[in-house]
């Protein structure tokens, strides 16, 4: 066998191997695994992160992601590996099916990942050169931030609930527009 034939043969073997690995990985991705108190145990790490032990494997650190962060934050919680690929390990269908301490750990991680102050008072909003400069009071205190005047900076979640995203990607919630004062609502007319 010539060197060229040998290299082609090795390349074909490599392609077949990669195809099998890809097929297996695809099947794993398509398989939905539900995690519950019987097949998964969460625990806190020394650094304040979350680890997971399943029947198959132990994960030193996992990420907690909401599949419906604004409409259903207590159901269908995606648990993923904590590397750059964030491969999904499984889904917690409902937080309430876990023990109290497990629920607390997941909720703590969700609060860290989905930090979203609630705007309780609008002091001022100024429009200049395509940007809006906000001066508000939130559940975490006074805050100033900037949004673009584009249509996606303030998103309506319902008739009275709004999500505001600043130019740095930070999110703020206005849970009920009509609970704000008349003058505050007037300041927001241009944006909502």
């Amino acid at each position: 066998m010539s060197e060229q034939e040998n290299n082609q043969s090795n390349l074909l073997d490599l392609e077949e191997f990669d195809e099998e690995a890809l097929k297996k990985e695809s099947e794993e991705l398509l398989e939905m695994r539900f995690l519950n108190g019987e097949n998964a145990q969460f625990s806190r790490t020394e650094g304040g992160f979350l680890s997971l032990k399943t029947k198959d494997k132990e994960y030193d650190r996992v990420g907690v992601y909401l599949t419906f962060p604004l409409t259903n934050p207590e159901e269908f919680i995606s648990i993923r590996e904590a590397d750059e690929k964030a491969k999904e390990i499984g889904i917690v269908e409902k937080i309430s099916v876990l023990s109290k301490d497990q629920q607390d750990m997941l909720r703590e991680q969700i609060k860290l990942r989905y930090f979203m102050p609630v705007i309780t008072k609008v002091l001022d909003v100024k429009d200049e050169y395509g940007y809006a400069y906000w001066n508000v009071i939130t559940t975490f205190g006074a805050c100033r931030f900037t949004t673009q005047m584009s249509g996606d900076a303030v998103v309506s979640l319902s008739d009275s609930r709004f999500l505001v995203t600043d130019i740095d990607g930070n999110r703020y919630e206005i849970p009920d527009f009509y609970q704000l004062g008349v003058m505050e609502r007037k300041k927001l007319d241009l944006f909502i």
Side-chain angles (χ1 to χ4, degrees), residues 111-125:
K111 278 184 180 179
L112 290 171
R113 180 173 300 282
Y114 296 93
F115 177 72
M116 186 167 42
V118 172
I119 295 174
T120 57
K121 186 165 184 66
V122 178
L123 302 173
D124 195 24
V125 183

Side-chain angles (χ1 to χ4, degrees), residues 32-35 67 76-79 88-93:
M32 185 169 293
R33 290 183 221 110
F34 288 102
L35 303 173
T67 54
F76 301 104
I77 313 302
S78 175
I79 308 300
E88 188 169 79
I89 299 164
I91 298 278
V92 174
E93 192 171 3

Side-chain angles (χ1 to χ4, degrees), residues 70-83:
L70 299 172
T71 58
N72 205 354
E74 292 281 313
E75 295 182 8
F76 301 104
I77 313 302
S78 175
I79 308 300
R80 302 180 191 173
E81 292 180 4
D83 59 12

Side-chain angles (χ1 to χ4, degrees), residues 131-192:
Y131 292 95
Y133 298 91
W134 298 66
N135 183 7
V136 299
I137 304 292
T138 72
T139 49
F140 291 91
C143 183
R144 292 176 185 259
F145 60 89
T146 305
T147 62
Q148 291 184 337
M149 289 296 293
S150 65
D152 60 349
V154 179
V155 177
S156 174
L157 302 174
S158 72
D159 290 340
S160 62
R161 185 177 177 206
F162 293 90
L163 177 69
V164 181
T165 307
D166 72 12
I167 59 174
D168 295 319
N170 300 309
R171 296 171 299 224
Y172 304 86
E173 181 184 6
I174 301 173
D176 189 348
F177 176 73
Y178 299 104
Q179 291 296 314
L180 297 172
V182 174
M183 293 308 292
E184 293 173 279
R185 292 195 309 259
K186 196 165 194 80
K187 291 174 187 174
L188 295 176
D189 277 347
L190 183 61
F191 310 100
I192 293 181

